[in-house]
Amino acid sequence: MTELAPHALEALIVDWGDVPTVTDIKVVRRRSRDFFWYSPILNEQLSGKSAEVLVIPRDEVDVVRVAAACARHRVPLTVRAGGTGNYGQAVPLAGGVLLDITELSAIEWVKPGVIRVGVGAKMNAIDAELQASGWELRMHPSTKRTATIGGFVAGGSGGIGSVNYGGLREPGNILAARVVTMEETPRIIELRGDAAQKVNRAYGTTGIITALEMPLAPAWRWIDVVVVFDSFMEAVEFGYEVALADGIVKKLLSPVTWPLPSYFGALKTYCPDGKSILIAMIAEPSLESFKNLLGSRGEITLETATDDSPGQVPLYEYTWNHTTLQVLKADRSVTYLQCLYPHDRLLQKVDDMRQMFPDEVLQHLEFIRFNGHVTCSGLPVVRFTDAARLNEIIRRHEESEVSIANPHVYTVEDGSRYKRVDADQLGFKHEIDPYGLLNPGKMRSFVGRSR
Ligand code: FAD
């Protein structure tokens, strides 16, 4: 960590003027963390890392002042939003400034099917605001109640709704992003259409996003459903049928193998011992068709309107990476993986992986669309022994044509399936962050000018 000398820190703060600033190092250290502790490997690598000062811009003008000061003083800056990332995305590796972006949360406008919003807005606040207009975000992570729209675009991939629209990477799922550059005289750039992908999942290394234009979906009255099956493969097969049934309007289809539901707290009542489950969110008018398709293959144990208002625990908080969290609450010895199954051999490959690691890799799938095909993302809970064994499990998945987006590494490249950063993102970083000050260490391929 590059430590700023006290006078250098003081000069930096003087330079950005009256932007609200926190220097209490206990607070700064606490805010420099995210959910990297899900990974025993990242937990070892990242637990001591921290920024040296926290700054909380009130608006975009403040963001520009902070970016300019950091560029002039050659001080690293890491953006933090909800702090719910899983790979230490918001953990500063080289000290410097932590920029809390959450005050930029105003909705600029809503038009039919589109919203323009400040990046710091929480996704549940956005959907609550949209409800009266009959629209909602196309997708959100299972951390919807704490995560921001900007953090989702800069650090996330997809979630509830991806069964219909795919992930954020699919064309049309991010319409535009407004970005502040990291230069002595920062520019404000509007990235529209494909160009907005330059900031998607780049962990804040390619600019400070201040506003986003996101496409919307019709807001249905969603019904949370739990269906119980004798075997995991029956839950997967039924989930697949629903995913392919275009007339049944759904937002979430998550098969979960026993014994994972035994860790499900309040939901446990609806999960009989020894049974695997399918968690689903179905539009109310489609519920009858959903039940007809199910027939007598499984038993519905829960059927209730989705409620994610304060104090409630919606069913989606048992899915995506919340499934892992539910288990971690009781057993800190487990961890997880992120898999992508080939769409043309989906059921076979799921069964192969289940048989390859029957007790060590406990299956949990999420139906998604990927490049226009229905397939599954897997977020299995893994009984952790050591790094070597985890890498062996990853290797055997990849040998079996199940791709892994490794959640036990902190760089953009190492986590991605392509093992290299997208050329556009790297080129754009050279353009807007010549000194490599934005979240340094997270984009491995980048070699900046000397500071
Ligand atoms: P942060 O964690 O604060 O930031 C994430 C990254 O984005 C960091 O690199 C940060 O520097 C950068 N960043 C944030 N805001 C900006 C900005 N304005 N400009 C530039 N860079 C910025 N992810 C999914 O995709 N789908 C899921 O279903 C999902 N489920 C999860 C469940 C649990 C229990 C947990 C702990 C995590 C889960 N995640 C999931 C990961 C994470 O919650 C989401 O990606 C979330 O959207 C991150 O938003 P955040 O506001 O917390 O961002």
Side-chain angles (χ1 to χ4, degrees), residues 38 79 81-86 89 142-143 148 151-152 154 156-158 203-204 209 320:
Y38 264 44
V79 182
T84 65
N86 284 120
Q89 292 111 304
S142 60
T143 44
T148 64
F152 187 39
S157 55
Y203 302 176
I209 317 165
W320 287 82

Side-chain angles (χ1 to χ4, degrees), residues 34-35 38 78-91 101 119-120 123 140-143 146-160 168 201-205 207-210 319-323 325 439 442:
D34 64 12
F35 280 73
Y38 264 44
T78 302
V79 182
R80 179 200 161 93
T84 65
N86 284 120
Y87 332 116
Q89 292 111 304
V91 176
I101 198 84
V119 275
M123 284 172 273
H140 62 79
S142 60
T143 44
T146 42
T148 64
I149 190 70
F152 187 39
V153 165
S157 55
I160 294 91
L168 287 165
R201 210 172 163 80
Y203 302 176
T205 59
I208 305 170
I209 317 165
T210 54
T319 68
W320 287 82
N321 223 353
H322 266 84
T323 312
L325 182 61
N439 210 352
K442 300 291 171 57

Side-chain angles (χ1 to χ4, degrees), residues 29-308:
R29 283 199 184 122
R30 203 171 55 237
R31 302 298 299 283
S32 295
R33 293 175 62 83
D34 64 12
F35 280 73
F36 63 79
W37 55 267
Y38 264 44
S39 160
I41 295 164
L42 291 180
N43 201 26
E44 257 183 39
Q45 294 172 344
L46 300 180
S47 46
K49 306 284 182 198
S50 172
E52 290 148 275
V53 61
L54 173 68
V55 63
I56 310 169
R58 296 154 293 194
D59 52 27
E60 192 182 71
V61 174
D62 278 359
V63 172
V64 170
R65 285 159 76 188
V66 173
C70 286
R72 280 195 289 264
H73 295 257
R74 306 286 195 266
V75 173
L77 179 152
T78 302
V79 182
R80 179 200 161 93
T84 65
N86 284 120
Y87 332 116
Q89 292 111 304
V91 176
L93 299 179
V97 174
L98 188 66
L99 183 146
D100 178 334
I101 198 84
T102 53
E103 298 273 300
L104 277 72
S105 60
I107 292 179
E108 287 179 32
W109 48 254
V110 180
K111 293 179 187 165
V114 192
I115 187 170
R116 178 134 182 141
V117 62
V119 275
K122 285 189 183 162
M123 284 172 273
N124 69 334
I126 295 175
D127 272 358
E129 203 59 42
L130 285 171
Q131 207 170 30
S133 65
W135 296 99
E136 63 183 22
L137 290 169
R138 281 188 177 175
M139 70 191 77
H140 62 79
S142 60
T143 44
K144 180 188 182 190
R145 297 200 297 165
T146 42
T148 64
I149 190 70
F152 187 39
V153 165
S157 55
I160 294 91
S162 290
V163 64
N164 300 315
Y165 295 99
L168 287 165
R169 63 182 288 284
E170 301 286 349
N173 279 338
I174 306 169
L175 298 178
R178 187 172 158 97
V179 170
V180 172
T181 66
M182 191 61 170
E183 297 168 292
E184 293 183 10
T185 307
R187 290 168 291 149
I188 295 171
I189 299 177
E190 177 86 0
L191 300 170
R192 297 206 66 85
D194 285 354
Q197 287 296 332
K198 291 174 180 173
V199 293
N200 178 210
R201 210 172 163 80
Y203 302 176
T205 59
T206 53
I208 305 170
I209 317 165
T210 54
L212 285 162
E213 227 171 276
M214 300 297 284
L216 303 174
W220 294 91
R221 184 167 190 262
W222 296 108
I223 308 296
D224 283 354
V225 184
V226 173
V227 194
V228 166
F229 294 89
D230 286 336
S231 75
F232 179 61
M233 284 313 291
E234 284 172 278
V236 180
E237 280 159 23
F238 177 63
Y240 194 30
E241 281 179 43
V242 181
L244 291 173
D246 291 334
I248 297 179
V249 182
K250 58 261 170 187
K251 197 172 177 184
L252 176 71
L253 294 168
S254 325
V256 184
T257 193
W258 181 263
L260 297 179
S262 67
Y263 294 92
F264 280 4
L267 197 67
K268 174 73 187 68
T269 327
Y270 307 98
C271 308
D273 282 357
K275 306 275 187 186
S276 291
I277 62 171
L278 177 78
I279 294 176
M281 282 171 71
I282 305 293
E284 192 172 40
S286 286
L287 204 53
E288 190 180 346
S289 311
F290 175 84
K291 289 178 183 172
N292 284 341
L293 195 63
L294 176 66
S296 58
R297 286 183 285 175
E299 187 199 345
I300 294 180
T301 53
L302 176 71
E303 181 185 321
T304 182
T306 305
D307 185 358
D308 53 9

